[in-house]
Amino acid sequence: MRLHSVEVCGFRGFRDKLHIAFGAGFTILSGRNGVGKSTLCDAVEFALTGKIDKYKVETSAKESISDYLWWRGDGTPAAHYVTTVFIQDDGTLFDITRTRETGSNRTDEEVRAVLCSGPAPDDALIQLCKTSIIRDEWIAALSLDLTETERFELVRSALGAVEGADFGGKAKDVLASAEASQDKSDKIYEAARGQLADRLTQLSEAQDAAARAGDVAAAMQVLSAVTQDGSSDLLSRLAAGRRMLADRRARLGPMGEAVQMGREVSALRQAFGSPDNVQRRSEARQALANATVVKETADNAVADAKLQLAREEQADAVAASLTLLVEHGERLGLHDDHCPLCAAARTHDQFAAGLAIARARIETLASGVSQARDALRVIAAAAEQRRQSLAAAQAQAAAFDEEEARLRAREEAHVEFLGLHDLGFQFAQDADGLEHELLAERDRLINLERALLTLEASQAVSRIAALEDQVAALRTDVDSAADLIAISQAAVASAKVIERAVRRVSAEIIDERLAQISPLLNELYQRLRPHAAWRTIDYRVRGDVRRFLSLKVGNDLNPQFVFSSGQRRAAGLAFLLSVHLARAWTPWRTLLLDDPVQHIDDFRALQLVEVLAAFRLDRRQIICAVEDADLADLLCRRLPSTAEEPGRRYDIDLGPDGAAVVAVAAAIPPMAVDVLRRGSGLQAVS
């Protein structure tokens, strides 16, 4: 892609419409200073970027370069615009028109899409102008006079971005976003802190005002003494006071019930321990013991009587048997003088006497049963009386035991009730003390309720409560903002680490690509020959994250400090031309030089012409503006042109009305073959 033409109207020093068609091979612009040669370079830059960056001072006397973009002389232009046309290798034209009224007809994206390819640098159009338009005033400023970091950035931008995804740009965007988020969080935090400080001041003033009010101050003291709450938040203290009031009121009922239980237990205990009851219990225990002994004696007597009755009944059974035996013996009588019962020899008298004895014995045995039964009846009746007496004594003793058990149960229930309601076991034996505590608690609750009502009814307290609500909310906001700051700071730190890593990797890749410039720089430096003794120039890159590019000649000398003005310009031209050639991200193959030989001697000017001729052999389009007409002639002769890539020359001057015009426009045809031989009379050898 090359520059096809520039057309201006009402732009800078050109009032009337001027159309410059550039030669595909080269174009030489000639004219004295001030006729508008540089303005044509300005027109190209202005069409691409919408501004002109060659001026070091942007504003002066309340004016800026934007005030001098358009015609300010006599007469009125027909229009105010700049049109730059580019032509691609296939003949396709691409125009950019920028007017004073409507701006550009192309967006920056459209221009970059045509003029940039591959990984372009940041601000690609600006970098395109810097590396395509070499101006007299910027030759040294954009090369040797740059700081080492600025020089590295210039070369890095000229080489283009690192291939692939734009991680550097993304890392910068992430870092910028993280820093913006941190700035926003800092502002939110500071604003919240300021509001909190203001509310705390107001709260302190309101608390001082409340402390000076008598009733309110007394109520505050009561609330502090009763609640014993360490919080400085009045709302929290009021809420704690209300909770305590409700809890203590609920506690008063159990306290009263405990007092009643204590008094009942005390009365039972007193009645149980009275002397009469003690004596009755002692007598009952003694009566029970005596009745038990007597009852045991009676039971023994009954047992003996029953044993005696059993004996008598046994004897009675024997008597009955004897009676039957005697009666049987009497019926049988003696048998052969022998007893029919025992077969003993007996006489009739002996047998009769024996029967009489037997009947007497039977009578004796039969009479004992009746007596034993009568004795048993008497003894049993006496034993029953003893049993009844014992039962009565046991019932009386059981009644006393039951009374004692009831007392113990009431005491245990009282102690359990005290423990259940956390009333203190010391009051188990001290109902009066518990009642005194109950009365004191009622007084405290009455005072607390009065204090709460006083505080809640006070306007000062209402203001304190409202301010405390605001302070609590603002503290939450401050904590949230502090958390956001911590998150933002962590994000910024991470983004910086990422950005440094990306820059480091990108710089390492740039180091490899800088090797492209080294041979170009040395070759151009040797051709321009800035210094007779120091024939080569080297660059050196240092730094890890922040990169530095320094130029050295001779024995590690800085040309910025050892070269003269002309030598610095020649070395600067070599540097800028090498940067221009190293670009790989744009198809635009046009080099514009605006009076590049100022302060350069004729020898080095001739060397520059030879260098530009070499550029033409690389099929680059050269547009060069010079003041010296002889140098313009030399350029027209030395720069090769062909039928496909012809050359042109324009001589620019000022018209009678002070506006710039084209005085001479000429096409530079290709040099004829064998022109030197024909001029010397020699014949070409076929």
Side-chain angles (χ1 to χ4, degrees):
M1 176 180 291
R2 293 174 173 82
L3 194 59
H4 181 268
S5 63
V6 168
E7 184 173 295
V8 296
C9 184
F11 179 74
R12 303 282 283 163
F14 292 95
R15 182 190 64 191
D16 302 323
K17 182 174 75 172
L18 176 68
H19 183 83
I20 300 293
F22 297 107
F26 64 86
T27 300
I28 305 302
L29 303 174
S30 177
R32 54 194 173 87
N33 287 332
V35 298
K37 304 186 301 298
S38 298
T39 300
L40 295 176
C41 296
D42 295 342
V44 175
E45 180 179 7
F46 182 72
L48 288 173
T49 65
K51 57 185 178 179
I52 301 173
D53 282 339
K54 69 179 182 179
Y55 295 98
K56 294 182 179 180
V57 179
E58 295 183 357
T59 60
S60 177
K62 299 182 180 180
E63 290 184 314
S64 66
I65 182 59
S66 61
D67 298 320
Y68 289 85
L69 289 175
W70 307 104
W71 174 261
R72 293 187 58 166
D74 296 335
T76 302
H80 296 83
Y81 68 89
V82 171
T83 298
T84 300
V85 181
F86 297 86
I87 183 170
Q88 300 183 12
D89 292 342
D90 60 1
T92 303
L93 299 179
F94 178 75
D95 66 281
I96 305 172
T97 299
R98 196 179 293 272
T99 68
R100 184 180 66 177
E101 292 77 14
T102 61
S104 178
N105 66 328
R106 305 286 187 179
T107 64
D108 290 346
E109 289 74 16
E110 291 175 329
V111 177
R112 281 196 295 267
V114 174
L115 296 179
C116 301
S117 62
D122 298 335
D123 299 326
L125 297 181
I126 294 177
Q127 295 300 332
L128 192 63
C129 292
K130 281 186 177 181
T131 56
S132 298
I133 305 174
I134 299 178
R135 302 178 183 274
D136 163 56
E137 55 266 51
W138 285 107
I139 291 176
L142 289 179
S143 55
L144 270 66
D145 290 348
L146 290 175
T147 64
E148 293 176 319
T149 55
E150 292 171 341
R151 189 179 298 118
F152 177 84
E153 286 300 318
L154 175 68
V155 175
R156 184 193 65 82
S157 300
L159 292 176
V162 177
E163 288 80 356
D166 184 13
F167 296 112
K170 291 180 180 179
K172 289 181 180 178
D173 293 341
V174 170
L175 178 58
S177 177
E179 289 177 342
S181 177
Q182 182 179 0
D183 291 340
K184 182 178 179 181
S185 299
D186 289 339
K187 291 178 181 178
I188 293 174
Y189 178 75
E190 292 301 328
R193 290 276 300 176
Q195 292 179 356
L196 177 60
D198 180 64
R199 293 301 184 277
L200 287 174
T201 301
Q202 295 180 17
L203 178 61
S204 178
E205 293 174 352
Q207 289 174 341
D208 290 341
R212 289 192 294 270
D215 294 340
V216 173
M220 292 284 286
Q221 292 178 355
V222 171
L223 181 62
S224 300
V226 174
T227 61
Q228 296 180 352
D229 194 299
S231 173
S232 60
D233 185 354
L234 181 58
L235 284 180
S236 299
R237 294 168 63 186
L238 287 173
R242 279 295 177 191
R243 289 195 300 272
M244 176 172 285
L245 182 62
D247 294 342
R248 293 293 180 86
R249 278 180 174 173
R251 194 165 176 263
L252 287 179
M255 289 183 70
E257 188 175 350
V259 170
Q260 183 64 29
M261 290 178 65
R263 293 203 178 280
E264 291 176 358
V265 169
S266 179
L268 290 175
R269 190 183 296 115
Q270 186 176 3
F272 184 80
S274 64
D276 292 340
N277 282 336
V278 171
Q279 183 178 357
R280 283 199 297 272
R281 287 195 299 276
S282 177
E283 291 175 353
R285 285 193 291 271
Q286 186 62 43
L288 177 60
N290 294 336
T292 300
V293 172
V294 171
K295 192 259 183 189
E296 290 176 353
T297 302
D299 289 342
N300 292 332
V302 169
D304 293 341
K306 287 182 177 180
L307 181 61
Q308 184 63 32
L309 176 61
R311 292 173 181 170
E312 293 298 332
E313 287 177 345
Q314 185 179 9
D316 184 65
V318 172
S321 299
L322 288 175
T323 299
L324 292 175
L325 183 61
V326 169
E327 290 178 353
H328 181 65
E330 285 181 337
R331 283 194 303 271
L332 294 177
L334 290 173
H335 183 67
D336 294 333
D337 293 328
H338 285 82
C339 180
L341 298 176
C342 60
R346 292 287 187 267
T347 63
H348 286 285
D349 292 336
Q350 290 176 338
F351 182 68
L355 291 175
I357 293 171
R359 289 190 181 92
R361 180 60 181 166
I362 290 170
E363 289 179 358
T364 302
L365 291 173
S367 63
V369 172
S370 177
Q371 292 176 356
R373 287 177 176 170
D374 291 340
L376 178 59
R377 187 181 303 107
V378 172
I379 293 171
E384 180 64 24
Q385 291 179 355
R386 299 296 183 273
R387 283 195 294 274
Q388 291 177 357
S389 298
L390 177 60
Q394 288 176 338
Q396 187 174 10
F400 285 119
D401 291 340
E402 184 179 357
E403 182 181 2
E404 184 176 6
R406 285 198 302 271
L407 175 60
R408 297 292 176 261
R410 293 297 296 274
E411 288 177 341
E412 291 176 359
H414 185 216
V415 172
E416 182 179 358
F417 188 84
L418 292 174
L420 179 64
H421 296 282
D422 195 21
L423 297 177
F425 295 112
Q426 70 273 16
F427 295 118
Q429 304 290 335
D430 188 8
D432 292 338
L434 182 58
E435 184 175 14
H436 178 74
E437 181 65 22
L438 172 63
L439 295 177
E441 182 69 8
R442 284 177 179 171
D443 292 339
R444 285 194 294 269
L445 293 182
I446 290 172
N447 293 334
L448 176 59
E449 186 172 15
R450 288 175 180 172
L452 291 173
L453 292 174
T454 300
L455 292 174
E456 290 173 350
S458 171
Q459 291 183 353
V461 174
S462 298
R463 175 168 172 74
I464 291 174
L467 289 173
E468 287 178 343
D469 282 341
Q470 296 176 14
V471 167
L474 288 173
R475 288 188 189 279
T476 301
D477 293 343
V478 169
D479 292 340
S480 300
D483 293 340
L484 288 177
I485 287 178
I487 295 172
S488 299
Q489 289 175 344
V492 168
S494 300
K496 286 182 178 178
V497 171
I498 294 172
E499 197 265 345
R500 290 193 188 100
V502 171
R503 286 179 58 189
R504 185 182 300 109
V505 173
S506 299
E508 291 172 355
I509 297 175
I510 292 295
D511 288 348
E512 297 177 0
R513 297 176 61 184
L514 277 173
Q516 303 173 20
I517 291 183
S518 180
L520 291 174
L521 177 59
N522 263 309
E523 182 177 353
L524 293 171
Y525 180 84
Q526 291 172 13
R527 289 195 179 194
L528 292 176
R529 298 181 184 179
H531 197 277
W534 299 323
R535 298 297 183 89
T536 61
I537 187 169
D538 298 316
Y539 74 85
R540 182 180 302 165
V541 178
R542 57 187 176 86
D544 185 9
V545 176
R546 189 179 182 187
R547 310 289 284 174
F548 302 87
L549 174 61
S550 58
L551 299 175
K552 298 295 181 180
V553 295
N555 189 16
D556 202 25
L557 300 176
N558 190 338
Q560 183 177 6
F561 303 124
V562 298
F563 277 5
S564 67
S565 176
Q567 289 172 330
R568 289 168 62 239
R569 284 177 176 270
L573 272 173
F575 177 77
L576 294 177
L577 290 175
S578 65
V579 170
H580 172 79
L581 292 175
R583 297 181 310 176
W585 49 270
T586 176
W588 190 26
R589 296 175 63 81
T590 300
L591 174 63
L592 294 93
L593 296 102
D594 182 13
D595 208 357
V597 295
Q598 289 287 342
H599 306 291
I600 295 179
D601 56 30
D602 293 342
F603 174 76
R604 291 179 180 84
L606 291 175
Q607 296 299 327
L608 175 61
V609 172
E610 294 304 319
V611 168
L612 296 180
F615 274 44
R616 276 296 300 128
L617 294 177
D618 191 36
R619 299 193 63 190
R620 291 187 179 269
Q621 183 187 32
I622 305 297
I623 299 175
C624 184
V626 295
E627 179 184 359
D628 190 344
D630 294 334
L631 181 58
D633 293 338
L634 177 62
L635 285 168
C636 290
R637 292 194 301 270
R638 291 298 297 144
L639 298 182
S641 63
T642 64
E644 294 79 13
E645 297 179 355
R648 291 180 181 273
R649 174 174 176 174
Y650 292 94
D651 290 344
I652 302 175
D653 204 348
L654 296 179
D657 54 2
V661 296
V662 174
V664 177
I668 310 299
M671 182 176 293
V673 179
D674 296 334
V675 63
L676 295 179
R677 288 190 176 89
R678 289 199 297 270
S680 62
L682 298 176
Q683 296 296 323
V685 178
S686 59

